[in-house]
Amino acid sequence: MSGVVRALCAAVAVALLVAPSASPAASPVTRQVVSYGNQAELAALERSGARVVRTLPALRSAVVETSRALGQRPVLRRAQKVDEPALAQTYLPGVAWEWQWSAARMGEVPDWVLHAASGVKIAVIDSGADLGAPDVRDKAPETWSVLSRSRRVRDRLGHGTFVSSLAAGSVSNGVGISGFGGDAKLLVVQAIDPDGYITDVDEAAAIVYAVRHGAKIVNLSIGGTETSRVEQRAIRWAARRGVLVVAAAGNEHDDGNAPEYPAALLQPIGSNGRGGIGLAVGATAMDGSRAFFSNTGSYLSLAAPGYNVFAAESADCEWPRADLPWASPGYYGWASGTSFATPEVAGAAALVWAANPRLTATQVAKVLKESASGTGWSPELGWGRLDAAAAVQLALRTPGETLRAAFRR
């Protein structure tokens, strides 16, 4: 067996029963899973019975023009905004609120893009998932365990359920939270044991399985300070097949801040966020600043909400659960880490691909970096904070064949 063992990138191994505005959590656990047109005219048209696509003002013409350029008809549907209980904005302590949705401007992503994401499959390589959790169950995910070589992916650790719900939780079931991937398909690949560790051999096997079963995006919320040929070959193999791999940058800022792998394989050390074959993701707090635990360095691509984010929990784990103000058959709570910022970026990547299916994996990564809310690259946040709406806008107005010339990132 290989000597390289990965761990989860969760700053806190259990969910936090604190409000998003609460004081910082305890110091991150070393080598744990990286877990952190005119409105009146439109109204008149609708009253007349016309079907109107409501999109961002800057996108009204781009939606149609880009769809035509791609040989597709725009998706026409009545206004149907995402309406999940956890999206009700509140600043009250202890009230369940998926604040990360607003922070990444997910509410401004056109509905048709959320639904068009059904053509993209996201693989979450993790500790499995609770298939009874409403936001996971209602996506009818495909499953595989490289540990038991079966379809059973029971999540006793809890990490995989949290990550899966953030990447691709249902946006249309009216329960709990909404995943960042819209209607993207979900593939749950269990490769992390109940103690939170994964070998590079199992990691590689999970990557190969995911790619061979149609995943366009692979989420790796894991990390460690060493790499191996097995891991390197698996990452390169996936990249050569047009798959976008997204990995957590790590939570050891105050414990040496050493580069983490596989993130540093995707965005190489010394690259300052340029080039690479995937994305290394850091974590931000609610105010947009770097989460205190999130690693920094030249291998950081961008960052996303990762401190006290709200998501679904597994019924088979012992994470503390939030006291919900709304009825739900599932469990929810808060947790922190770059582990949980990473699936948000993975989900946003599915939206970029939905907006412009002609993009390559490298171009999708460039769009996400180019559209991030920073003013330039920095070792703290990479190219900046995830902005899903801006990423979709950029993908829509830039034909795939010109992206290579348009971006240097």
Side-chain angles (χ1 to χ4, degrees):
M1 178 178 290
S2 171
V4 176
V5 178
R6 291 271 170 268
L8 301 178
C9 293
V12 183
V14 296
L16 301 174
L17 277 183
V18 294
S21 58
S23 58
S27 298
V29 179
T30 303
R31 289 183 60 80
Q32 290 284 316
V33 175
V34 186
S35 328
Y36 286 106
N38 182 290
Q39 294 300 311
E41 292 175 352
L42 288 174
L45 283 171
E46 287 180 326
R47 285 195 298 272
S48 71
R51 302 179 71 185
V52 177
V53 181
R54 290 184 178 271
T55 64
L56 295 177
L59 294 180
R60 286 175 186 148
S61 60
V63 168
V64 176
E65 291 173 3
T66 302
S67 295
R68 287 173 179 162
L70 298 175
Q72 300 173 342
R73 291 188 304 172
V75 179
L76 299 177
R77 43 189 314 117
R78 294 184 176 87
Q80 180 186 338
K81 292 301 178 188
V82 175
D83 184 18
E84 308 279 33
L87 297 183
Q89 192 171 90
T90 176
Y91 291 91
L92 298 176
V95 176
W97 174 30
E98 191 184 352
W99 68 269
Q100 65 269 18
W101 180 270
S102 297
R105 294 213 302 147
M106 283 291 297
E108 297 175 55
V109 173
D111 271 356
W112 77 264
V113 173
L114 294 175
H115 295 292
S118 62
V120 182
K121 184 182 294 185
I122 302 174
V124 173
I125 295 175
D126 215 287
S127 59
D130 179 357
L131 303 182
D135 291 297
V136 175
R137 176 197 64 212
D138 292 341
K139 292 304 283 285
E142 299 173 45
T143 63
W144 181 253
S145 172
V146 301
L147 304 180
S148 66
R149 299 192 61 79
S150 72
R151 303 290 179 187
R152 297 188 300 274
V153 293
R154 184 177 180 182
D155 184 18
R156 291 183 172 85
L157 184 64
H159 189 268
T161 301
F162 209 87
V163 171
S164 294
S165 68
L166 287 168
S170 174
V171 300
S172 59
N173 63 353
V175 176
I177 63 124
S178 285
F180 276 53
D183 284 346
K185 295 182 177 65
L186 174 62
L187 169 58
V188 175
V189 184
Q190 185 183 59
I192 297 172
D193 67 26
D195 295 321
Y197 293 94
I198 174 176
T199 68
D200 56 345
V201 172
D202 287 339
E203 175 192 350
I207 291 172
V208 170
Y209 182 90
V211 174
R212 286 181 172 169
H213 287 79
K216 291 290 289 180
I217 301 163
V218 170
N219 187 96
L220 292 170
S221 290
I222 57 176
T225 56
E226 298 178 351
T227 185
S228 71
R229 286 188 177 181
V230 170
E231 180 177 60
Q232 293 163 17
R233 290 177 63 187
I235 294 290
R236 289 196 300 267
W237 182 85
R240 285 197 300 268
R241 282 156 179 78
V243 174
L244 178 62
V245 183
V246 187
N251 308 315
E252 287 69 47
H253 183 268
D254 294 337
D255 191 17
N257 195 34
E260 295 255 326
Y261 297 92
L265 296 176
L266 303 172
Q267 187 72 67
I269 295 172
S271 67
N272 289 351
R274 295 184 182 277
I277 57 173
L279 294 169
V281 183
T284 65
M286 184 179 287
D287 63 2
S289 64
R290 180 185 63 84
F292 72 95
F293 51 79
S294 185
N295 284 5
T296 62
S298 61
Y299 70 107
L300 199 63
S301 302
L302 75 165
Y307 177 61
N308 278 5
V309 296
F310 189 76
E313 295 183 357
S314 171
D316 293 316
C317 73
E318 297 180 354
W319 288 22
R321 293 163 183 162
D323 185 12
L324 302 177
W326 26 267
S328 173
Y331 302 104
Y332 299 85
W334 290 273
S336 297
T338 55
S339 271
F340 309 130
T342 303
E344 295 167 0
V345 172
L351 302 182
V352 169
W353 244 321
N356 192 338
R358 287 188 176 180
L359 301 182
T360 66
T362 300
Q363 290 167 344
V364 170
K366 288 178 180 178
V367 165
L368 288 165
K369 289 189 282 187
E370 179 74 13
S371 60
S373 62
T375 56
W377 184 86
S378 77
E380 294 279 310
L381 297 176
W383 288 106
R385 298 177 296 276
L386 173 67
D387 187 331
V392 167
Q393 273 192 325
L394 184 56
L396 280 169
R397 70 172 181 258
T398 309
E401 58 268 19
T402 67
L403 273 175
R404 187 171 287 104
F407 302 128
R408 294 175 296 170
R409 297 180 182 178

